[in-house]
Amino acid sequence: MKKGKKLYEGKAKILYASPEKNLAIQHFKDDATAFNNQKKATIEGKGILNNRISEHILSNLNQIGIKNHLVKRINMREQLVKIVEIIPIEFIVRNIASGSLTKRLGIEEGTILSRPLIEYCLKNDDLGDPLISREHILTFDWLNIMELDWISEECRRINDFLQGMFRGVGIKLVDFKVEFGRSLQDDNIILADEISPDTCRLWDSATEKKLDKDIFRKNLGNLIDGYQEVLTRLGLQIN
């Protein structure tokens, strides 16, 4: 499929116009970033693995009624997706304490939370994606209360599905980040962006070995080996 002009470039992906109205081509880059873009590297093959894993997850979510922007995977690096206007909020779902939660609240890493915790961050790199409350979201009209409640429930459904899927292959879903947007086709809010080891914390169930971007953040070894292990455990291949 022929790519048109570049519509948007982020830290991990580029969005190009496609020949089809209201659809775009999403290209997965090999760039790795951490700490609000302060740590950067190019890791050959990362985009290919994320493309395949995200396609698998989003396809399965669609089958259980969680609508998202994925139309189909085009090749090893690209997907055809619905164009959305991204809502400027990152929705973070936590099952086990790790990352910024442990630093902010002094909770020991690895503490299992009594129930899934949903946090909200303003999607703004210049401000460091600050943590915000439901009241901020409603006060500044980023969403109305019905939309916010609906998205929060979708996050819980996604969490239930992902926990089961990863548990079945010996992986703990520690936390994950998702984004939503308004489809240009019908203005409905749908899941967008990606779900991959870039956006999830994934630990081996037995050893708690990191299989996600923390490998890069914390210099724990070869990032590709971790992502490849996730791909293999899910029974996927690159093609």
Side-chain angles (χ1 to χ4, degrees):
M1 182 175 290
K2 185 177 180 181
K3 293 195 289 282
K5 68 176 183 179
K6 184 191 296 187
L7 302 176
Y8 171 81
E9 181 168 2
K11 288 176 285 198
K13 293 180 294 297
I14 305 173
L15 208 61
Y16 295 97
S18 86
E20 300 184 47
K21 185 179 179 182
N22 293 329
L23 300 182
I25 295 170
Q26 180 170 260
H27 175 94
F28 284 74
K29 303 195 293 185
D30 284 338
D31 294 355
T33 64
F35 310 118
N36 196 28
N37 219 24
Q38 293 179 23
K39 183 177 182 179
K40 304 177 186 179
T42 299
I43 302 176
E44 186 175 353
K46 181 180 82 76
I48 292 172
L49 292 166
N50 281 343
N51 181 28
R52 184 69 180 94
I53 293 169
S54 188
E55 177 218 7
H56 174 74
I57 291 173
L58 294 181
S59 295
N60 278 275
L61 287 173
N62 191 56
Q63 289 178 16
I64 64 168
I66 296 175
K67 303 301 181 184
N68 57 73
H69 74 162
L70 177 68
V71 177
K72 64 180 180 180
R73 183 165 60 98
I74 302 169
N75 54 46
M76 290 198 301
R77 282 197 179 273
E78 294 172 334
Q79 299 173 358
L80 186 66
V81 299
K82 300 171 186 174
I83 298 177
V84 302
E85 180 184 353
I86 287 288
I87 295 162
I89 299 163
E90 296 180 345
F91 298 83
I92 301 164
V93 183
R94 301 183 183 275
N95 299 303
I96 300 171
S98 187
S100 64
L101 182 66
T102 63
K103 296 174 184 176
R104 281 186 278 116
L105 302 181
I107 298 171
E108 184 178 356
E109 181 172 73
T111 300
I112 298 173
L113 305 182
S114 60
R115 61 179 182 177
L117 172 66
I118 301 179
E119 294 184 324
Y120 314 99
C121 290
L122 179 63
K123 187 175 165 62
N124 187 313
D125 287 341
D126 293 339
L127 299 177
D129 299 330
L131 191 70
I132 57 175
S133 68
R134 286 176 58 91
E135 284 71 23
H136 286 108
I137 295 170
L138 299 175
T139 297
F140 296 111
D141 293 323
W142 290 316
L143 292 165
N144 64 44
I145 192 165
M146 291 181 64
E147 292 169 336
L148 179 55
D149 287 345
W150 181 83
I151 290 177
S152 297
E153 183 57 31
E154 288 288 275
C155 287
R156 295 184 184 96
R157 292 182 64 207
I158 294 166
N159 186 48
D160 287 345
F161 173 81
L162 292 180
Q163 278 192 300
M165 182 187 72
F166 284 121
R167 187 182 297 119
V169 295
I171 295 175
K172 292 181 183 178
L173 176 65
V174 175
D175 57 40
F176 65 94
K177 181 267 292 183
V178 286
E179 298 179 18
F180 290 80
R182 299 181 191 276
S183 169
L184 295 191
Q185 291 180 334
D186 52 23
D187 203 40
N188 286 336
I189 294 175
I190 57 175
L191 177 66
D193 196 41
E194 68 177 291
I195 299 180
S196 72
D198 262 15
T199 62
C200 303
R201 278 194 174 88
L202 305 169
W203 295 354
D204 179 87
S205 295
T207 66
E208 297 196 342
K209 174 186 174 184
K210 309 297 189 289
L211 302 172
D212 56 73
K213 199 163 75 168
D214 272 352
I215 299 170
F216 173 70
R217 289 188 188 99
K218 300 179 179 181
N219 300 313
L220 298 177
N222 188 312
L223 184 77
I224 293 299
D225 288 347
Y227 286 28
Q228 180 65 54
E229 186 166 344
V230 174
L231 184 93
T232 301
R233 290 199 194 187
L234 290 173
L236 305 175
Q237 294 181 338
I238 299 298
N239 50 40

